[in-house]
Amino acid sequence: MPPLRYAQLRYLSLILTTWLAVFFLTRSALLIGHLGDANVGVAQLLGIYGIGLMYDVAFLLYAALPLTLYLVLCPRRLWERPWHNGFMHTLLAISLFAMLFTAVAEWLFWDEFGVRFNFISVDYLVYSDEVINNILESYPIYPLLAFLALIAVVGTVLLRKVTDAALQAPLLRWRDTWTTLTALLLAGVATTLAVGQDFPRGIGGNAYQRELASNGPFQFFAAFRNNELEYPQFYATLPTQEVAAQLRQEVSEPNAHFLGTDPLDIRRTIDNPGEPLKLNVVLVTIESLSAKYLGSFGDSRGLTPNMDKLRQQSLFFNNFYATGTRTDRGLEAITLSIPPTPGRSIVKRIGRESGFASLGQQFREQGYDSVFMYGGRGYFDNMNAFFGGNGYRIVDQSSVSESEIHFKNAWGIADEDLYAQAIKQADADHATGKPFFLQLMTTSNHRPYTYPEGRIDIPSGDGRAGAVKYTDYAIGQFLAQARQKPWFDRTVFIFVADHTAGSAGTEDLPVANYHIPLFVYAPKVIKPQEFAGLTSQIDLAPTLLGLLNMDYTSTFYGRNVLRADAAPGRALIGNYQHLGLFDGEDLAILSPRRAVRRHDDALRLSHESDAQINDPLVRRDIAFYQGASYAFTRGLLSWQPDRSNQTHLSQR
């Protein structure tokens, strides 16, 4: 007897078919929007839609389970009530609205990040206040929701005859109910075994093709499940002694003396020559500032006149790379000098985010007032817990009086208001004679791209270009005000991006999309020059402490790149799954399922190929990430204060 004879299964098939149609249209719309990037032929199209159908069905097998249980277990006397028929029509309307809402959400997410739902969308669900407000400020969301609701109602009306015909069909017999449930259970188990986050869509190749073949809701739940990945379980490994030897070679410097007994413990004393310079430090991490926006890097729109001028007055690193694609990754790299281990960043590993030998702890050990200053609310991305547990005082939006806030949006106060708070903190510390280390995190260069009116010639909320130009304006105003302060001549200003404005591309780790600027500005102390050596965010902390001639005990995976005897540079880049090491020419990538690849000539032709574990570049890659993951899980990165130094400071 044909299974679609029964009312419950006919109704279920109507909803599932509609979902599949929406998934097909969503995939097609995204494909049309990126035909050039996806570079598709007939074979690629068949792969995209064939694999996509597998993911669509896999998601629906899970998503439809509650509805299936209700339909097949609903008592006959309840099913035949007149009001129940209306309820099923309403349920169809709600389902249609959910389908359309999901499709629009996928489109907006793709427009922002160039990928299907992933770990970013999981984080956005956790920090819903900021995200919802950002969406409300960025899009006409209420008219859009009303329009989607109208389409859902119209669709329900148009499907009324089909729905009525399904509901009036014969009901399942009792034995058929159990057959249906058993079949559904077996299909779910088979799907779990056969379909995963990276299979059958695979790893490598054209990233856009792989994303188009995915299913957004499926990827969302997969990312939610896999937001923490244990390195030894998922990635290629080497014997401990080989990792230890390679890693110590990577971080070794002539002025370093290793202390740890564990082979993978890189704790070491750093003896920087010269008298320590007790200079104040203001480290500004700028939201989403790609190097490509600077006029001095070729942008012709005149968005960054202040930074272009500052480049000529600073120690400027023109070959500098972010480690990741999110703010928390940039803060992790700058603060802890650690590669981007798989899964969540350490910043967001709740309960395991504290007690590290951070840059703030190093400065506090030297008698500084270490302060983390954030333009938004510090509970976002677990920032307050991370910085508060690693040697910093916290000043965020909630610490600032409303009378001192002249503009704010979903993400926080305007950059100029944050800089005003930094000057206030610097004045207070200077008045007490205490050196200060202020680590700032800005928010203005983020969607919805709004800022105070009248500052620049681009209207607020008009797009990324305006936000970049306002970011530049605020930096210029901040430095102009700081130059009038008595502490200016004894202060080092550092401006660096947390990550770029967009890291998506045709590759898993498009190296060029991790390129960010780094300015070190102290006109009375540091001679302006360009440094062209390949440098990573994890090198910022040891390089800064080297500039200040500070001796310290280090757990940093970076090194002082300004030493005359410094080894050739390398950049550690990644996202929450793929882990890369770029040596200036080629890129090695480690991926789940122990996959290992190379991209030769990574900044230009970027030829991808499978690699062997004995490849020297791959071995370096493994050493950093296997070693860092081991050190994190074994507590080898913990802060161990120098008691003798504390006694010395208390006697001063």
Side-chain angles (χ1 to χ4, degrees), residues 328-341 345-347 386:
D328 56 292
R329 281 302 189 189
L331 295 176
E332 172 190 66
I334 291 167
T335 306
L336 301 182
S337 183
I338 188 172
T341 52
S345 70
I346 293 173
V347 177
F386 173 75

Side-chain angles (χ1 to χ4, degrees), residues 409-482:
N409 62 19
W411 293 108
I413 62 179
D415 286 1
E416 62 192 76
D417 289 336
L418 176 62
Y419 291 137
Q421 292 301 311
I423 287 178
K424 180 180 177 181
Q425 290 291 326
D427 285 344
D429 278 329
H430 179 73
T432 65
K434 192 177 184 68
F436 53 82
F437 169 53
L438 308 182
Q439 186 168 340
L440 282 62
M441 180 68 229
T442 71
T443 60
S444 290
N445 193 30
H446 193 296
R447 190 183 296 274
Y449 313 128
T450 54
Y451 39 83
E453 295 287 357
R455 304 305 197 264
I456 59 173
D457 58 1
I458 301 176
S460 173
D462 199 46
R464 172 77 71 179
V468 171
K469 193 164 188 176
Y470 172 73
T471 294
D472 179 81
Y473 162 85
I475 290 172
Q477 293 297 305
F478 172 48
L479 290 177
Q481 294 166 17

Side-chain angles (χ1 to χ4, degrees), residues 14 115 228 230 417 624:
L14 173 63
V115 293
E228 289 196 21
E230 295 297 329
D417 289 336
F624 270 105

Side-chain angles (χ1 to χ4, degrees), residues 150 156 190 195 205 210 228 241 247 254 264 297 299 312 327 346 362 452 507 584 587 624:
L150 177 62
T156 304
V195 180
R210 197 168 64 252
E228 289 196 21
Q241 294 298 329
L247 190 55
L264 291 179
F297 274 116
D299 192 289
Q312 305 304 316
T327 294
I346 293 173
Q362 300 291 357
E507 302 163 5
L587 171 71
F624 270 105

Side-chain angles (χ1 to χ4, degrees), residues 611-625:
Q612 300 299 317
I613 202 168
N614 59 358
D615 184 315
L617 188 62
V618 170
R619 297 176 80 82
R620 294 180 67 193
D621 200 5
I622 293 173
F624 270 105
Y625 291 104

